[in-house]
Amino acid sequence: QVQLVESGGGLVQAGDSLRLSCAASGRTFGSYAMGWFRQAPGKERDFVAAINWSGGNTYYADSVKGRFTISRDNAKKMAYLQMNSLKSEDTAVYYCAADGRFMRSRAPIEGAEYQYWGQGTQVTVSS
């Protein structure tokens, strides 16, 4: 079983930066792909970024490419989402997710492929 806890959300102004963190439990964190998703009010959950188990492969939604960076520290059992040049349309609840399938070379971009989810952290960007 894997438990995920996000932190780092908050209220910022457009153009600011935030770093979200995702703390994971479980002995095999280093073998999991990790993803970040977000859900704005009244909208579906959208893919934001994903990283494979080693950190060697990363994937981004077009809307965040060049502004957001996903990373991980397997020794600390942490995943991160560095968000720069934030826009009002980035306002959402952000969720981290883990794909427990062992050492997949690629990280999924579909939410249905993730088995474990955190509770979410709110990011609000004022314009």
Side-chain angles (χ1 to χ4, degrees), residues 80-121:
Y80 305 99
L81 185 68
Q82 177 67 43
M83 306 186 295
N84 298 329
S85 302
L86 283 162
K87 306 175 181 179
S88 58
E89 51 262 46
D90 295 319
T91 294
V93 177
Y94 283 71
Y95 299 91
C96 71
D99 173 9
R101 288 170 289 187
F102 189 75
M103 288 185 174
R104 301 182 73 203
S105 61
R106 62 173 294 276
I109 63 172
E110 296 292 335
E113 294 197 68
Y114 288 86
Q115 299 83 42
Y116 307 103
W117 292 84
Q119 82 290 350
T121 186

